[in-house]
Amino acid sequence: MNQIALNKLQQLISGSKRTLILSHQKPDGDALGSILALSQFFKTIKKEHDLFAVGPTSSSFNFLLKEEKIYTDPLNLALENYDLIFILDSGDLKQTGIEKQLKNLSSAIPVVNIDHHQTNENFGTLNFVFPESSSTSEIIFNLFKIFNFAINKKTATFLLTGLVTDTSNFSNPATTFSSLEIASHLLNLGAKMNEISVNVLKNKSLPTLKFWGEVLSRLTENKKLNMVTTIITADDLRSTNLDEEALEGVTNFLNNLKGAKVVLVLKALEPGKIKGSFRTTTKEIDVSRLAKIFGGGGHQKAAGFTIEGNLIKMGNSWRVE
Ligand SMILES: [Mn+2]
C-alpha cells in the first residue's frame, strides 16, 4: 500500500470528530463485514462514528448485528454532520443508493474509497482500490495489520464473513493464496467459521430448496451455443410465498454444472423488465462481453444485463415479448 496515502489516512482518522462509514445498498456479507470491522477499529480508538447502508439487509446476517447498529434510511441521513466519510465495497457512487447526496457533498469533507471491484471509479479523496483482493474485508484486514490493530474475535468473524461470501465459500476464482492465508489468520484469532456457515451458507428453508428444484427442472440446453438457461418469474415467488432472497445462490449453484460453457438465468420479477445473469467457469469465455451485447456488463466470469420485455409461456418453452 502507498505510504503517502496511508499517512494521509491516519491523519484524516485522527483529525475526525465524527466519521460516517457506509457501504453499497442491499449490503452483502463483504459490505457488512468490512463496515462492521472498521467500526470496531473506530470504537477501539474511541472515535465517534456511524454506520450506514441503504437496506434491505438480508436476515441471514442478523447474527452479525446483535450489538451493532447500521442506519438504513437515506431520508434521515445528514452527510453534513460528518467530517470524514468512508465508502466501502462500492465500485461507484450509484451503488451506495445515495449518489445525489454524495455528489452534492461539500469538497471540504474527505471521502475514503476502499474497494476491490475492477470497475471502481476512484471517486475518493483517497482511494484504496485493490482488484486482486478477494474482498473489501481482505483490504481492511491488511490495513489493520499496517495499523497494528489487535483484531478481536468479533472483528475476526466480521472479516471472515466477507471473505467467505465473496469467495463463495472459498470456491470461486477470488480464492487466492492470500485470501486463504488471511482466513487462516482470522480463524486463529477466533473467528467463528461455524456460525458464519450456519447462518450464511446452510440457511436454505425447505420451500426455498423446493423452489430451487423447480428452477433446476426448467434448465434447457442450447447445444449450439453450449449454454444452459433457466427462468424465474414473479409468479414463482408469489405462488411459493418467497422473496427475492430465496433466489440468491441458485445462479452460483448452477456453476457446478459440468459441460456447459455458459449459464444464463433470466429473471422476470418486475413487469416489463427481464434481468439476465451470465456465469461461466471457463477461461475462454468473457461473459461481460456477452452481457454487453444486451447493454449490461460485469466481470469476466459473472455478468448481467436488464432488457425490456415480458416472459410469456408458450407450451413447453418461453419467449420474450
Ligand atoms: Mn465485495
Side-chain angles (χ1 to χ4, degrees):
M1 285 194 202
N2 178 310
Q3 195 53 50
I4 298 169
L6 285 168
N7 291 344
K8 182 88 187 128
L9 178 63
Q10 257 166 331
Q11 271 172 25
L12 287 177
I13 294 173
S14 59
S16 168
K17 290 206 170 63
R18 197 169 171 206
T19 301
L20 181 67
I21 301 169
L22 65 96
S23 78
H24 61 77
Q25 56 186 331
K26 290 190 194 167
D28 57 12
D30 187 31
L32 291 172
S34 56
I35 63 172
L36 289 166
L38 195 56
S39 168
Q40 292 297 310
F41 173 74
F42 272 75
K43 272 184 194 167
T44 306
I45 60 169
K46 298 201 165 61
K47 282 274 172 191
E48 212 178 303
H49 67 285
D50 289 320
L51 302 181
F52 180 84
V54 175
T57 305
S58 160
S59 58
S60 311
F61 298 117
N62 285 351
F63 76 105
L64 298 176
L65 300 170
K66 279 179 219 149
E67 297 156 34
E68 319 298 323
K69 171 83 192 143
I70 299 179
Y71 294 98
T72 57
D73 183 1
L75 294 175
N76 291 329
L77 181 71
L79 292 180
E80 63 277 9
N81 290 343
Y82 301 93
D83 55 16
L84 176 61
I85 296 178
F86 279 78
I87 302 180
L88 270 52
D89 204 38
S90 302
D92 54 47
L93 295 181
K94 211 173 150 192
Q95 288 180 24
T96 62
I98 51 163
E99 187 186 18
K100 260 200 195 142
Q101 295 182 56
L102 287 168
K103 282 202 165 146
N104 291 329
L105 189 70
S106 149
S107 58
I109 305 175
V111 170
V112 180
N113 165 20
I114 305 179
D115 185 35
H116 68 120
H117 292 98
Q118 198 141 25
T119 48
N120 190 288
E121 292 176 354
N122 290 309
F123 49 79
T125 319
L126 277 182
N127 299 289
F128 294 88
V129 177
F130 299 96
E132 66 281 9
S133 294
S134 66
S135 52
T136 301
S137 298
E138 180 172 331
I139 303 169
I140 296 290
F141 174 89
N142 289 328
L143 279 172
F144 285 171
K145 221 164 74 181
I146 293 166
F147 290 166
N148 279 321
F149 172 55
I151 296 176
N152 61 18
K153 271 186 198 176
K154 202 169 164 180
T155 310
T157 301
F158 291 150
L159 292 174
L160 189 60
T161 302
L163 282 154
V164 166
T165 51
D166 268 20
T167 60
S168 298
N169 203 19
F170 305 107
S171 69
N172 72 22
T175 313
T176 58
F177 167 74
S178 67
S179 58
L180 287 168
E181 194 188 31
I182 290 169
S184 147
H185 269 292
L186 292 170
L187 286 172
N188 200 26
L189 292 166
K192 293 180 178 162
M193 182 69 184
N194 188 47
E195 204 176 333
I196 297 169
S197 68
V198 164
N199 283 285
V200 180
L201 306 167
K202 299 170 184 171
N203 62 347
K204 310 289 179 286
S205 68
L206 187 59
T208 299
L209 288 185
K210 281 188 168 172
F211 173 61
W212 281 28
E214 175 61 31
V215 172
L216 295 176
S217 75
R218 285 181 196 158
L219 286 169
T220 49
E221 187 181 16
N222 183 323
K223 285 211 169 105
K224 236 196 229 158
L225 297 174
N226 214 334
M227 180 163 83
V228 167
T229 311
T230 189
I231 58 139
I232 301 163
T233 69
D235 279 343
D236 293 332
L237 292 182
R238 234 171 279 135
S239 61
T240 48
N241 240 331
L242 293 168
D243 59 16
E244 224 181 310
E245 211 185 307
L247 306 177
E248 254 163 58
V250 75
T251 313
N252 286 334
F253 179 75
L254 288 171
N255 260 339
N256 292 313
L257 189 70
K258 193 180 163 186
K261 291 219 164 111
V262 179
V263 171
L264 169 63
V265 178
L266 291 171
K267 292 182 207 164
L269 301 178
E270 288 170 60
K273 244 189 206 176
I274 300 170
K275 278 187 181 177
S277 316
F278 282 118
R279 292 284 187 283
T280 186
T281 45
T282 60
K283 279 193 188 119
E284 47 284 26
I285 292 174
D286 178 353
V287 288
S288 73
R289 291 175 65 185
L290 282 175
K292 235 183 185 166
I293 299 171
F294 301 100
H299 306 281
Q300 203 176 326
K301 293 201 158 55
F305 62 87
T306 304
I307 53 170
E308 279 175 29
N310 291 299
L311 283 172
I312 311 289
K313 190 158 193 179
M314 308 275 283
N316 277 333
S317 64
W318 295 77
R319 51 178 297 161
V320 177
E321 266 175 14

